[in-house]
């Protein structure tokens, strides 16, 4: 991984040499290294075709085992190509039962080592008698993540190549030979971890069966007097990584930048980008964008760049951005919406750029709190008395703790995302801490040793910082206390930043959060307060502490009861308010509501809660301040409760009084629940105003880029949304760059202009039903239909799915309990499957090739007329619908259309089934904003026939 300290690199480089002479006694005597080949990945649907194993004693292989296995079914062609194993090879091989019995005899109950052992073990034990092969299976993949945490890949093939072991193929016997060499390297690497860490790991939760415990115990015995200190390990790894401070660009009169000709040369054949990507072919639009970014940085101005799909935006902005950082010793930033793009930058494009750019390049990622391990919680969970919260194998939690310990001992900075932890088995909340729960100054690792708070300081010493929109806007709200002072930004995927900024700056008081706060604080015998009271018993100042504790407990209980009444009142208000929500009511708290009888009943309840919160917060804070003078470590959790009480107090006071006209106020209730899920919210009405006041003046250059920003060629909606229209004339420039793909050739837009008005529900659903059946059959599936509401989606799914099933086409639906990720994965993996989905799929969904051939939009995605933001805007502005709702709907349709063409070879159809596109004047704004130059208006009953002909003409 980039950023690995030099002493760690040197240790890794000598592992293979040291492994040739190190001896590990009993733990390397009579161990079995095993690998299998199968007909596929799923143990339910596939069979063994080869088993190989080797017996290790010390550094020697003393015996080998290898047999083909007759699977009882033909071997799939792709497995034959991958492994070279044919049906002829296995024709006379032992049956699975016979092969496993032979393996049992060979293993003789010894420990078995396998790379991704769960896979091999599941196939072995699926065969009758397989459970008798061994009771101890050691996963060398997981162990390699503990032993070698700074490697970017722990695949066996990569490990074998890196350390000069036998080459890996897709044959079990070859992989066994490779793993025999890797095994000893892992043992040496484990012994390189900080002194005492092996004992810490070996002693964790001794009641939990854990296959790695004997290994750690043996290694700990080699240094029995060692005592592990995480603080000392963090100090050492940070000392080894101390790059020079960067300059705050505010202290520079201007940026020194390459000329436009020099930038162009980077994209020419043989240039910088060509060295990064040998197959690279220059694109005029990409070079134009790079020069625009260069000009913006050189002049200290802003840009809005709409760059169509295929332009190569990230490489277009990274090169001039990197030049600015290197030449001026400043830190520059890139903010993305999605983790996919951030990972692409951090793990692919920036490492390539760092290798090829003169002088190299340093970079890092900054993410939200829950992406980083909390070292205080890590230490707590490693103690035997800590509870492991999981419904699955607790050994997975111990493995996660071991991986994290090793990682933070070798990593100056970093996050959890690439560590291979099985989060389905591990409770993430046990190892991470939300911002509001962070102990900060009361934590022994704060600030530099902490991976969260230290990350900001270390980010100030690198050239390029990659973060997400959420963290960027939280930093604005925190007056720049989260991110280093970065004055030059690229905001990628910028079409969604207004919505994300509003979400990050919203003030919410929820029943769930309230319940969490009061449960966490507890009372005299429970929660953080109860624990504190027990810890203070017998102390010198016990009388003082007990008096303060009693007041805190009493007022917290009163506040808890008062807040419960508030949320009962919120549910009563929801019964009187207007909302189109199918499951969830989202109701505007406008002038009419505040003057209603219901509000007059609710107001004194809410004000009583404000007073109760204020008293509780004051008493809890007083307790914390007094105890912290002598025993700061005891009040960490109670201090967190005090902070959260203050946040809830401020939020409730803001929303109930409703005096700040920068906000729109609303309440939310889950109608499917009798109680719970209630909340009160205040959202900023004008995000652009906030950005123009608090962010843009601090930034010299902001490059906003996306494939979907303009509305029918105009940028004024976006410029207003992000505050650029408030800046002096000449401060920014907007431009559109055409896509590198031929949309007119590869994509067609069909408008079914005769679909009935949705208010005539029977006719509307009947027409849509037939249209959707025709579209799916004509396209052979691979269609994504995007709905604006659940009711229409579920009604039409019930009608359409049986008809498609009758002709062999699969249709899935985004049900309430469905996992969006699983739906996406299934849709991508099954080329002919189709999907009915809601808003989560409107953007950020990539499925190139035949996986997605058609997108259907039954109804234009206008916001609900009862949406609180729309109501507030309508109250304050005469043309609010045209100013906001219309352009936002246009952008959402552009995003949906963008799902279709993700590569130069993709072809696809966009079907728009909303008659308003041809009957209303604003329909032209939608159609003129699409990437094609025209569209086909077709009667709904003829759409299927048209698509059949179009598909035949475009099949490749």
């Amino acid at each position: 991984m980039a950023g690995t300290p030099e002493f760690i690199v040197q240790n890794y480089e000598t592992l293979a040499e040291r492994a040739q002479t190190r001896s590990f006694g009993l733990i390397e005597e009579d161990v079995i290294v095993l690998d299998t080949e199968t007909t596929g990945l799923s143990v339910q649907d596939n069979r063994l075709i080869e088993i190989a194993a080797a017996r290790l004693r010390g550094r020697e292989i003393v015996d080998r085992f290898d047999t083909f296995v007759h699977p009882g079914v033909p071997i799939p062609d792709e497995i034959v190509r991958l492994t070279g194993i044919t049906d002829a090879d296995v024709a006379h091989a032992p049956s699975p039962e016979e092969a496993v019995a032979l393996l049992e005899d060979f293993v003789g109950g010894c420990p078995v080592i396998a790379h991704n052992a769960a896979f091999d073990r599941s196939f072995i034990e699926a065969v009758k008698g397989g459970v008798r092969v061994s009771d101890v299976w050691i996963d060398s993949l997981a162990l390699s993540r503990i032993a070698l945490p700074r490697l970017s890949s722990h695949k066996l093939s990569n490990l074998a190549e890196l350390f000069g072991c036998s080459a890996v193929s897709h044959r079990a016997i070859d992989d066994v030979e490779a793993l025999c060499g890797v095994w000893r390297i892992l043992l040496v690497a484990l012994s390189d971890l900080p002194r005492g860490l092996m004992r810490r790991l070996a002693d964790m939760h001794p009641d939990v069966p854990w296959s790695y415990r004997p290994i750690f115990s043996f290694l700990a015995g080699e240094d029995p007097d060692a005592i592990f200190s995480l603080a000392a390990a963090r100090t050492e790894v940070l000392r080894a990584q101390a790059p020079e401070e960067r300059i705050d660009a505010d202290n520079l009169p201007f940026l020194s930048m390459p000329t436009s000709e020099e930038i162009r040369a980077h994209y020419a054949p043989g240039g910088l980008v060509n060295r990064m990507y040998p197959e690279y072919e220059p694109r005029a639009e990409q070079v134009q964008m790079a020069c625009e970014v260069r000009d913006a940085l050189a002049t200290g101005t802003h840009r809005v760049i709409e760059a169509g799909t295929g332009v190569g935006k990230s490489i277009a902005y990274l090169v001039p951005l990197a030049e600015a950082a290197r030449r001026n010793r400043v830190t520059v930033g890139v903010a993305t919406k999605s983790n996919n793009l951030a990972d692409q930058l951090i793990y692919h494009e920036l490492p390539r750029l760092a290798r090829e750019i003169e002088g190299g390049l340093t970079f890092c990622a900054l993410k939200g709190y829950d992406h980083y391990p909390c070292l205080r919680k890590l230490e707590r969970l490693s103690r035997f008395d800590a509870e492991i919260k999981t419904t699955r194998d607790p050994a997975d939690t111990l493995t996660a703790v071991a991986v994290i310990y090793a990682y933070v001992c070798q990593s100056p900075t970093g996050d959890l995302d690439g560590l291979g932890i099985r989060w389905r088995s591990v409770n993430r909340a046990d190892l991470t801490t939300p911002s509001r729960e962070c102990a900060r100054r009361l934590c022994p690792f704060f600030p530099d040793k902490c991976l969260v708070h230290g990350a900001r300081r270390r980010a100030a010493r690198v050239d390029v910082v990659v973060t997400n929109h959420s963290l960027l806007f939280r930093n604005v709200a925190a007056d720049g206390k989260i991110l280093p002072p970065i004055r030059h930004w690229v905001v990628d995927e910028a079409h969604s930043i207004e919505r994300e900024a509003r979400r990050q700056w919203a003030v919410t008081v929820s029943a769930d959060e309230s319940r969490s706060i009061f449960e966490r604080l507890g009372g005299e015998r429970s929660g953080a307060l109860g624990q504190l009271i027990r810890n203070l018993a017998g102390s010198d100042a016990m009388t003082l502490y007990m008096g303060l504790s009693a007041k805190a407990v009493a007022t917290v209980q009163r506040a808890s009861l008062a807040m419960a009444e508030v949320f009962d009142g919120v549910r009563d208000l929801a019964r009187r308010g207007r909302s189109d929500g199918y499951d969830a009511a989202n109701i505007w708290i406008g002038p009419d509501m505040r003057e209603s009888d219901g509000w007059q009943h609710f107001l004194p309840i809410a004000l009583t809660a404000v007073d109760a919160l204020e008293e509780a917060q004051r008493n809890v804070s007083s307790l914390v301040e007094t105890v912290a003078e002598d025993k700061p470590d005891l009040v960490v959790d109670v201090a967190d409760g005090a902070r959260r009480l203050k946040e809830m107090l401020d939020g409730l006071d803001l929303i109930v009084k409703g005096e700040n006209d920068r906000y729109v106020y609303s309440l939310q209730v889950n109608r499917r629940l009798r109680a719970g899920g209630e909340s009160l919210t205040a959202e900023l009405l004008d995000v652009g105003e906030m950005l123009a006041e608090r962010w843009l003046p601090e930034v010299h250059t902001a490059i906003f880029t996306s494939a979907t920003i303009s509305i029918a060629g105009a940028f004024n909606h976006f410029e207003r949304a992000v505050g650029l229209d408030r800046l002096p004339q000449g401060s920014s420039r907007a431009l559109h760059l055409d896509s590198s793909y031929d949309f007119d050739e590869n994509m067609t837009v069909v408008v079914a202009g005769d679909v009935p008005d949705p208010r005539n529900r029977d006719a509307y659903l009947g027409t849509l039903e037939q249209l959707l059946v025709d579209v799916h059959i004509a396209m052979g599936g691979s269609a994504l239909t995007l709905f604006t509401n659940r009711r229409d989606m579920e009604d039409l799914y019930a009608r359409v799915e049986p008809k498609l099933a009758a002709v062999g086409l699969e249709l899935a639906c985004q049900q309430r309990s469905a996992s969006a990720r699983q739906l996406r994965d299934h849709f991508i993996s099954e080329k002919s499957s189709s999907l009915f989905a809601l808003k989560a799929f409107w953007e950020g969904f990539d499925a190139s090739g035949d996986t997605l051939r058609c997108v259907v939009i039954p109804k234009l995605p206008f916001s609900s007329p009862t949406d609180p933001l729309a109501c507030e805007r309508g109250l304050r502005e005469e043309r609010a619908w045209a100013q906001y709702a219309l352009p936002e709907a246009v952008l959402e349709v552009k995003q949906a259309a963008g799902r279709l063409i993700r590569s130069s070879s993709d072809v696809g159809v966009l079907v728009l089934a909303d008659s308003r596109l041809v009957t209303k004047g604003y329909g032209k704004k939608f159609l003129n904003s699409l990437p094609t130059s025209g569209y086909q208006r077709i009667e709904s009953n003829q759409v299927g026939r048209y698509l059949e002909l179009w598909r035949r003409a475009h099949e490749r």
Side-chain angles (χ1 to χ4, degrees):
M1 294 181 182
T4 301
E6 187 58 33
F7 81 96
I8 301 294
V9 174
Q10 291 173 0
N11 280 348
Y12 282 23
E13 287 175 342
T14 61
L15 282 171
E17 180 182 349
R18 288 185 286 139
Q20 293 175 9
T21 57
R22 274 294 296 271
S23 175
F24 292 98
L26 291 176
I27 61 170
E28 58 179 357
E29 290 298 322
D30 273 343
V31 294
I32 305 298
V33 176
L34 179 143
D35 190 51
T36 62
E37 300 299 339
T38 65
T39 58
L41 298 178
S42 168
V43 70
Q44 287 83 16
D45 304 322
N46 294 282
R47 303 289 184 271
L48 290 163
I49 55 175
E50 184 184 20
I51 305 172
R55 183 181 300 277
L56 276 177
R57 287 193 186 130
R59 290 182 289 276
E60 302 296 327
I61 297 176
V62 297
D63 200 0
R64 288 178 172 83
F65 175 92
D66 185 23
T67 182
F68 287 126
V69 183
H70 196 300
V73 295
I75 300 175
D77 291 342
E78 62 269 22
I79 300 299
V80 172
R81 289 192 295 270
L82 187 68
T83 66
I85 301 174
T86 66
D87 289 332
D89 292 323
V90 301
H92 303 291
S95 68
E97 292 79 8
E98 292 167 338
V100 167
L102 293 171
L103 177 66
E104 180 188 354
D105 290 339
F106 178 82
V107 172
C110 292
V112 173
I113 302 162
H115 214 65
N116 191 14
F119 176 85
D120 300 289
R121 185 175 189 175
S122 65
F123 273 91
I124 296 293
E125 294 189 347
V127 177
K128 184 178 179 181
V131 294
R132 297 193 299 269
V133 168
S134 179
D135 292 331
V136 180
W137 288 73
I138 297 169
D139 184 4
S140 56
L141 174 60
L143 197 64
S144 69
R145 292 184 174 127
I146 302 169
L148 301 164
R150 292 301 301 175
L151 292 185
S152 56
S153 170
H154 295 89
K155 290 181 179 178
L156 181 58
S157 57
N158 296 117
L159 294 174
E161 180 181 1
L162 182 63
F163 295 112
C165 303
S166 298
V168 169
S169 68
H170 287 284
R171 286 296 303 275
I173 190 60
D174 294 334
D175 293 359
V176 163
E177 295 286 335
L179 185 52
C180 286
V182 167
W183 169 244
R184 294 185 50 75
I185 286 165
L186 297 184
L187 295 178
V188 177
L190 287 170
S191 63
D192 282 348
L193 291 171
R195 293 187 63 209
L197 179 55
M198 289 297 99
R199 174 54 59 200
R200 172 71 63 88
L201 300 182
D203 291 347
M204 287 194 304
H205 298 269
D207 56 314
V208 176
W210 191 31
S211 58
Y212 310 118
R213 197 184 305 279
I215 299 170
F216 298 148
S217 292
F218 177 87
L219 295 174
E222 294 188 326
D223 191 3
D225 298 325
I227 298 174
F228 174 68
S229 167
L230 180 56
R234 291 293 298 155
T235 299
E236 181 181 3
V237 79
L238 291 170
R239 188 186 300 121
Q241 186 84 353
E244 63 181 6
E245 289 274 0
R246 293 298 188 267
I247 297 170
D248 185 339
D250 265 358
N251 298 323
L252 296 175
F254 57 85
L255 286 187
S256 170
M257 290 295 297
T259 64
S260 295
E261 289 71 26
E262 289 172 316
I263 290 293
R264 291 179 184 278
H266 283 324
Y267 295 84
L272 171 65
V273 179
N274 201 176
R275 296 198 301 275
M276 291 169 61
Y277 297 97
E279 304 300 318
Y280 171 77
E281 296 180 0
R283 285 167 269 185
E285 299 88 355
Q286 187 180 54
V287 177
Q288 184 182 351
M289 180 174 175
C291 290
E292 277 295 334
V293 174
R294 177 260 165 217
D295 292 348
L297 292 165
T299 58
T301 53
H302 309 299
R303 292 292 185 277
V304 179
I305 303 176
E306 183 176 61
T309 308
V311 165
K313 296 189 295 297
S314 56
I315 293 299
Y317 61 66
L318 280 179
V319 170
L321 205 60
E323 288 281 14
R326 294 297 302 159
R327 290 178 178 233
N328 299 277
R329 290 184 56 233
V330 299
T331 298
V332 298
V334 179
T336 70
K337 177 188 177 184
S338 67
N339 287 333
N340 286 344
L341 177 55
D343 288 346
Q344 176 187 325
L345 297 177
I346 287 293
Y347 296 116
H348 299 288
E349 294 180 349
L350 282 168
R352 288 174 182 257
L353 181 55
R355 283 195 299 270
E356 301 300 338
I357 195 169
E358 184 178 352
L361 189 74
T362 57
F363 54 90
C364 72
L366 285 180
K367 303 178 182 181
Y369 271 70
D370 64 341
H371 291 272
Y372 296 90
C374 171
L375 301 185
R376 184 172 63 88
K377 285 190 172 183
L378 181 68
E379 291 275 78
R380 178 189 296 175
L381 192 57
S382 70
R383 295 197 297 267
F384 70 90
D385 58 341
E387 179 187 0
I388 295 178
K389 300 172 184 173
T390 181
T391 58
R392 302 196 179 191
D393 187 355
D396 288 340
T397 298
L398 298 190
T399 302
V401 169
V403 168
I404 295 170
Y405 263 125
Y407 182 73
V408 301
C409 288
Q410 294 190 354
S411 306
T413 187
D415 56 65
L416 294 168
D417 294 349
L419 300 189
I421 293 172
R422 295 177 179 173
W423 292 115
R424 290 183 179 179
S425 298
V426 180
N427 182 24
R428 195 180 188 105
D430 286 341
L431 291 164
T432 62
T433 294
S435 172
R436 59 185 55 181
E437 293 180 15
C438 177
R440 293 178 172 82
R441 289 176 175 79
L442 298 175
C443 175
F445 301 102
F446 181 86
D448 288 348
K449 298 181 187 71
C450 171
L451 273 83
V452 177
H453 296 282
R456 179 186 187 274
R457 298 181 179 220
R458 288 185 285 280
R461 296 183 173 95
V462 302
D463 298 315
V464 183
V465 170
V466 178
T467 189
N468 53 47
H469 295 170
S470 303
L471 205 59
L472 175 62
F473 295 129
R474 286 206 296 273
N475 183 63
V476 175
D479 297 321
K481 295 177 182 176
I482 299 174
L483 301 176
I486 298 173
R487 313 298 178 186
H488 304 89
W489 281 96
V490 169
V491 182
D492 205 340
E493 302 172 303
H495 56 272
S496 64
I497 64 169
E498 182 192 16
R499 188 185 316 133
E500 183 59 29
R502 182 173 287 111
R503 189 175 75 87
Q504 290 300 326
W505 296 338
V507 178
T508 301
V509 180
S510 73
D512 294 341
E513 174 70 5
S514 175
R515 188 180 305 109
S516 171
I517 292 171
F518 290 116
E519 286 179 355
R520 189 174 174 83
L521 277 170
E524 188 176 356
R525 293 183 177 85
S526 64
L529 284 169
Q531 185 63 52
L532 179 61
I533 291 169
R534 289 191 294 276
N535 289 339
L536 293 173
S539 62
D540 293 340
M542 188 174 82
T543 303
L544 171 62
Y545 293 156
M546 290 304 111
L548 293 172
S549 298
K551 289 176 67 176
V553 167
T555 52
V556 164
Q557 289 175 345
R558 281 199 294 272
S560 176
L561 294 172
M563 289 304 295
E565 290 194 34
V566 165
F567 295 114
D568 287 343
V570 169
R571 190 163 282 276
D572 288 339
L573 285 171
R575 296 188 183 100
R576 307 165 187 253
R578 290 178 60 233
S579 172
D580 289 344
Y582 190 42
D583 291 330
N586 186 22
I587 298 170
W588 180 40
I589 304 176
D592 289 347
M593 175 170 281
R594 290 186 186 272
E595 293 169 6
S596 68
D597 292 342
W599 187 264
Q600 298 311 309
H601 175 73
F602 171 75
L603 186 58
I605 296 172
L607 293 176
T608 297
V610 168
D611 293 340
L613 284 172
E614 186 173 14
E615 185 180 17
Q617 191 271 332
R618 185 172 59 249
N619 288 328
V620 174
S621 296
S622 177
L623 173 64
V624 169
E625 291 166 10
T626 304
V627 176
E629 291 178 5
D630 295 323
K631 304 175 185 293
D633 55 315
L634 297 184
V635 294
V636 171
D637 291 338
V638 179
D640 165 55
R643 282 194 300 271
R644 294 169 72 182
L645 283 175
K646 183 67 166 64
E647 290 176 3
M648 188 159 58
L649 165 64
D650 292 343
L652 186 62
D653 188 64
L654 169 72
I655 297 165
V656 170
K657 292 178 179 176
E659 295 169 351
N660 190 330
D661 63 4
R662 284 191 163 199
Y663 288 94
V664 52
Y665 303 96
S666 59
L667 62 86
Q668 294 76 36
V669 169
N670 187 334
R671 287 174 167 158
R672 300 180 67 216
L673 301 176
R674 290 187 176 182
E678 304 88 2
S679 60
L680 294 161
T681 302
E683 293 180 294
L684 273 182
L685 188 65
D686 189 347
V687 166
E689 181 181 36
M690 176 86 155
L691 288 170
E693 288 179 2
R694 297 182 58 179
W695 187 60
L696 289 172
E698 304 292 322
V699 176
H700 299 184
T701 297
I703 311 290
F704 300 95
T705 186
S706 171
T708 51
I709 295 179
S710 68
I711 309 293
F715 291 88
N716 54 306
H717 170 73
F718 181 83
E719 290 171 335
R720 181 174 60 248
V722 300
L724 290 173
D725 64 334
R726 277 85 158 177
L727 301 183
Q729 191 169 6
S731 299
S732 68
R733 164 176 144 80
L735 69 153
H736 169 83
L737 300 174
D738 288 335
S739 170
S740 302
Y741 303 150
D742 188 345
F743 277 90
D744 283 334
E745 172 62 27
N746 292 0
M747 175 179 169
T748 188
V749 177
V750 174
V751 177
D754 63 337
V755 176
D757 190 312
R759 287 171 292 188
N760 183 354
R761 189 161 182 80
D762 289 342
Y764 173 72
L765 291 179
T767 302
L768 265 185
E769 175 190 344
Q770 192 57 52
L771 172 66
L772 289 168
V773 170
D774 291 347
V775 167
H776 283 76
I777 292 175
M779 298 303 296
S782 302
L784 174 64
T785 305
L786 297 168
F787 290 88
T788 58
N789 66 81
R790 180 172 292 281
R791 183 186 177 197
D792 285 358
M793 180 183 72
E794 292 181 345
D795 284 355
L796 283 163
Y797 178 72
R799 295 171 176 229
V800 172
E801 192 277 335
K803 294 186 176 181
L804 295 184
V807 294
L809 293 176
E810 178 188 357
L811 176 64
C813 180
Q814 190 182 356
Q815 307 284 6
R816 288 187 184 88
S817 59
S819 161
R821 180 173 181 175
Q822 289 178 1
L823 284 172
R824 290 170 197 242
D825 291 347
H826 181 74
F827 183 81
I828 291 170
S829 64
E830 298 292 334
K831 286 187 177 181
S832 63
S833 69
S834 295
L835 178 64
F836 282 7
L838 292 170
K839 192 146 184 107
F841 284 81
W842 278 87
E843 57 177 287
F845 177 62
D846 285 332
S848 58
D850 285 344
T851 299
L852 179 61
R853 293 191 292 263
C854 180
V855 171
V856 184
I857 300 178
K859 190 184 294 184
L860 297 176
F862 293 117
S863 60
S864 165
T866 64
D867 175 73
L869 189 60
C871 291
E872 190 73 33
R873 284 168 167 170
L875 179 69
R876 301 194 192 195
E877 300 184 42
E878 288 186 4
R879 299 185 65 252
W881 186 86
Q883 289 272 22
Y884 302 104
L886 176 58
E888 286 165 5
V890 171
L891 287 174
E892 290 202 27
V893 170
K894 286 182 72 172
Q895 275 292 313
R899 302 307 95 216
L900 276 170
I901 309 298
R902 311 302 291 172
S903 71
S904 59
S905 60
D906 284 352
V907 296
V909 178
L910 174 65
V911 178
L912 301 170
D914 193 319
S915 59
R916 290 174 293 183
L917 287 164
V918 292
T919 61
K920 301 290 186 181
Y922 58 72
K924 292 180 180 179
K925 281 193 177 290
F926 286 91
L927 298 171
N928 291 341
S929 297
L930 295 173
T932 55
S933 60
Y935 66 95
Q936 302 293 324
R937 180 178 176 180
I938 303 173
E939 299 297 302
S940 58
N941 61 3
Q942 294 299 313
V943 169
R945 177 60 180 157
Y946 171 81
L947 294 185
E948 287 177 6
L949 297 173
W950 186 89
R951 184 183 170 196
R952 286 178 198 162
H954 288 80
E955 282 182 340
R956 296 175 179 176

